[in-house]
Amino acid sequence: MNGRLSTASRVVAVGGLAAVAAMGCSDRPPLDPVIDPPENDPIAASIVITPSSVEFRAIGSSTTVAAAVKNASGATLADQSVDWSMAGTGVARVDSTGRLVAIANGVDTVRAAVGDLVASAVVRVVQVPFAVTIGSHAQTMTVLGETAALSAAVLDSLGSVVRGLAIEWRSSDPRAVPIDAQGLATAASMGSAVITATSGVMVDSTNITVDLLGPLGAPRVGSVISCASGTAAPFDCNGIDLVAYLPISALGGPPGVTLNDVWGWTDRATGNSYALVGRTDGVSFVDVTDPLAPVYVGFLPRTAGSPQAVWRDIKVYVDHAFVVADGSFEHGVQVFDLGRLRSFDGAPQVFAETARYSGVASVHNIVINETTGFAYAVGSNSGGESCGGGLHMIDVRLPGAPRFAGCFADPLTGFSGTGYTHDAQCVRYVGPDPDYAGRDVCLGSNETALSIADVTDPANPVAISRASYPNVGYAHQGWLTDDHRYFYLDDEVDELQGSVPSSRTIIWDVTDLDDPIVVGAHFGPNRATDHNLYIKGDLLYQSNYQYGLRVVNIADRERPVDIGYFDTAPTRSNEPGFGGSWSNYPFFPSGIIVVTSQDEGLFLLQVSN
């Protein structure tokens, strides 16, 4: 060796010192080089995003993704600054910390960058429907034909709209509030409806009320509205004042329920008076002792298992109400102790029936002779002891234990040839015919004719007579004058069939019960269909469906004179038809007349002074 480094020599920097190794000049093995461990390599070689993909199920959902920067050996490099960004499809956004927020359905890519090194992860937003909601709730329409454009949306769990899903609209009462497929609701008639929006299994609902009565859409109590210049508030009238008004909702009726019959009871123990108001689903009890401030006391539901009934009828014996329904399967006769109304403490109650008579199933009407304590279920049409649809006689002198007493039917009357009786009045006779003085007599409105029977002995009833009249449509119902000499009968169909020029009430002279004679007819001012009528003294009170209540002076029995009316259904035409006033009860000591109007509610009226 000449002291120079050979080409086979090399210099290695170890710990900052120079070491010279002569290659091949020594018998010692060469020194290994000293280098930094690979994990200490500071050069970024890859980025790993955790999680590797993200899926959101609601707009507005968020999560944070992490980025790990690694060198070539896979070791994580700490304190590396990562730049976050989105590919830019508008599905999500990301901030400088890696927090992702979903902003639209679709697929996007989140990116993490260190210098020129970039990694990415897939971001999906797929909304899952959580609920459907209607944009507006509980509203009232006050003009016939008025519309309301309802909107509904399907939402995810955070309340963002899920687009593209179908919504189906329905109305619980399309007669009052029909709604189309786009959510346009229309005021068609008085009433209320539950409107539902459905998407899959998700449902939301709202109530729409059609209140065409203006300021009387809510209960109107506290002062009499006189019939001045032909109107009382929005109601056409003449000679009849509005004392109070309760819409169906104020009688406890839910949307879709309508009214039918009405009767009355005055408590002999307290002097309080009550209206017993028929609903399609039961009976409402209203305290009308103070006519200016009627109070809803409670409700008797229909017989369990029976459907709602358009036809419900109520009568009273002493202090018990008897309730029947037509087309109601095994409804029977409900018996209710009216003395239970005395327990009213300010909160309306739902009452249970006191007893039930099951000798009949569905019947159209019930009649009670309050002098004798016998009830007469008429118009039987399914099950039980039907008596041909005629008089099914029930002894109710022990109201809690009614028992069958007998049958009467005149098969020469009625359309079916069985003696079907649609309605009747049964009295202890005080009229001019000496042959029947003190006898129990029933006058039946039997569809095609007037049928008169002696039912003094229920086990052995006797037909007295039958008689018809010109242009029979449907002999519906009637009432005797106080002296039992005249009987006034309404025909429910003659206006509809066009056989009479206007509403017609048939006047019978029944001085001789064996030979009833038609002595005239009273024609009303229009063609509105006449329905239930009752007589008190010299006044006849008749519900005329779409025309409302008519009051007729019958002091001259054969030449009646109209003295007043009150149109309870102002949006309906005064033509033949079945909407509006169903019935009335004029026998309260106060002199008020309670009137039911099917879609409108309960009216308390008085003849103007």
Side-chain angles (χ1 to χ4, degrees), residues 450 467-470 504-510 515-521:
L450 170 64
S468 193
Y469 54 93
R504 177 180 62 156
T505 303
I506 309 300
I507 306 171
W508 297 85
D509 184 337
V510 290
D515 185 21
I517 299 171
V518 174
V519 292

Side-chain angles (χ1 to χ4, degrees), residues 413-586:
T413 64
F415 291 116
S416 63
T418 64
Y420 176 94
T421 297
H422 191 77
D423 205 338
Q425 184 183 11
C426 298
V427 297
R428 175 64 55 83
Y429 184 71
V430 296
D433 189 337
D435 296 340
Y436 299 97
R439 307 290 291 178
D440 298 332
V441 173
C442 288
L443 290 85
S445 299
N446 284 25
E447 298 183 317
T448 61
L450 170 64
S451 169
I452 304 178
D454 183 338
V455 295
T456 307
D457 180 359
N460 296 287
V462 178
I464 297 175
S465 61
R466 72 189 67 85
S468 193
Y469 54 93
N471 297 317
V472 172
Y474 195 95
H476 173 264
Q477 182 266 354
W479 209 252
L480 285 162
T481 54
D482 293 346
D483 60 7
H484 292 181
R485 180 177 174 182
Y486 288 89
F487 183 76
Y488 292 76
L489 181 143
D490 62 78
D491 186 308
E492 191 179 18
V493 179
D494 52 359
E495 297 88 4
L496 280 168
Q497 68 185 17
S499 59
V500 294
S502 64
S503 300
R504 177 180 62 156
T505 303
I506 309 300
I507 306 171
W508 297 85
D509 184 337
V510 290
T511 299
D512 182 355
L513 291 179
D514 294 293
D515 185 21
I517 299 171
V518 174
V519 292
H522 177 62
F523 291 92
N526 52 50
R527 298 179 62 244
T529 299
D530 45 336
H531 203 228
N532 292 353
L533 67 85
Y534 300 99
I535 294 170
K536 182 180 180 181
D538 289 336
L539 295 182
L540 179 151
Y541 304 83
Q542 186 175 67
S543 285
N544 275 57
Y545 278 133
Q546 301 186 144
Y547 186 50
L549 177 75
R550 280 174 58 207
V551 179
V552 182
N553 187 311
I554 58 170
D556 185 337
R557 299 293 197 242
E558 298 182 18
R559 296 173 181 80
V561 177
D562 281 85
I563 62 169
Y565 76 93
F566 191 97
D567 190 348
T568 63
T571 64
R572 296 180 181 272
S573 67
N574 298 326
E575 292 297 314
F578 300 110
S581 179
W582 182 285
S583 196
N584 67 88
Y585 181 84

Side-chain angles (χ1 to χ4, degrees), residues 74-381:
T76 300
L77 301 178
D79 300 326
Q80 293 289 319
S81 177
V82 177
D83 292 325
W84 291 98
S85 65
M86 301 299 300
T89 61
V91 169
R93 64 175 180 269
V94 67
D95 66 12
S96 61
T97 68
R99 182 174 178 271
L100 282 166
V101 179
I103 58 177
N105 283 296
V107 180
D108 205 342
T109 301
V110 62
R111 295 172 176 173
V114 176
D116 293 332
L117 192 62
V118 178
S120 62
V122 174
V123 178
R124 291 183 176 85
V125 180
V126 181
Q127 285 176 292
V128 174
F130 180 77
V132 63
T133 183
I134 296 175
S136 58
H137 284 264
Q139 57 183 294
T140 299
M141 296 191 285
T142 59
V143 178
L144 197 66
E146 181 181 350
T147 60
L150 301 185
S151 61
V154 179
L155 306 179
D156 62 26
S157 61
L158 293 182
S160 294
V161 175
V162 181
R163 303 188 185 282
L165 295 181
I167 294 175
E168 181 181 2
W169 292 96
R170 290 181 181 175
S171 170
S172 67
D173 188 358
R175 296 176 306 167
V177 189
I179 190 165
D180 68 14
Q182 286 70 48
L184 185 68
T186 303
S189 68
M190 285 284 290
S192 58
V194 177
I195 304 297
T196 56
T198 304
S199 182
V201 297
M202 300 170 293
V203 179
D204 192 23
S205 64
T206 186
N207 292 329
I208 293 183
T209 298
V210 180
D211 171 18
L212 307 176
L213 307 182
L216 298 179
R220 178 59 182 259
V221 298
S223 61
V224 174
I225 302 177
S226 64
C227 180
S229 303
T231 62
F235 304 100
D236 290 339
C237 59
N238 177 41
I240 301 176
D241 302 328
L242 177 62
V243 180
Y245 162 74
L246 294 176
I248 297 173
S249 58
L251 301 171
V257 162
T258 60
L259 303 186
N260 38 59
D261 191 44
V262 65
W263 203 247
W265 175 63
T266 297
D267 188 347
R268 293 175 297 179
T270 66
N272 286 6
S273 291
Y274 298 87
L276 317 181
V277 184
R279 295 170 18 186
T280 50
D281 60 345
V283 178
S284 289
F285 302 104
V286 182
D287 188 331
V288 295
T289 307
D290 180 357
L292 290 172
V295 178
Y296 171 54
V297 172
F299 174 62
L300 174 66
R302 63 190 186 274
T303 297
S306 68
Q308 292 200 21
V310 174
W311 304 275
R312 192 173 306 278
D313 196 74
I314 312 132
K315 295 296 187 298
V316 171
Y317 175 64
V318 186
D319 55 5
H320 282 71
F322 295 80
V323 184
V324 298
D326 199 351
S328 291
F329 308 147
E330 300 298 324
H331 184 281
V333 181
Q334 289 180 299
V335 184
F336 178 70
D337 183 353
L338 293 166
R340 295 168 63 190
L341 302 180
R342 300 172 191 139
S343 64
F344 179 68
D345 60 1
Q349 302 177 53
V350 176
F351 296 102
E353 61 191 29
T354 303
R356 190 165 74 93
Y357 176 74
S358 57
V360 291
S362 294
V363 294
H364 186 77
N365 220 315
I366 189 164
V367 180
I368 293 182
N369 185 334
E370 295 186 44
T371 301
T372 64
F374 279 83
Y376 306 85
V378 299
S380 299
N381 57 44

Side-chain angles (χ1 to χ4, degrees), residues 20-47:
V20 179
M23 304 299 294
C25 296
S26 172
D27 294 332
R28 294 188 307 173
L31 296 174
D32 289 332
V34 180
I35 63 174
D36 280 339
E39 60 268 19
N40 290 338
D41 183 357
I43 304 301
S46 65
I47 303 173

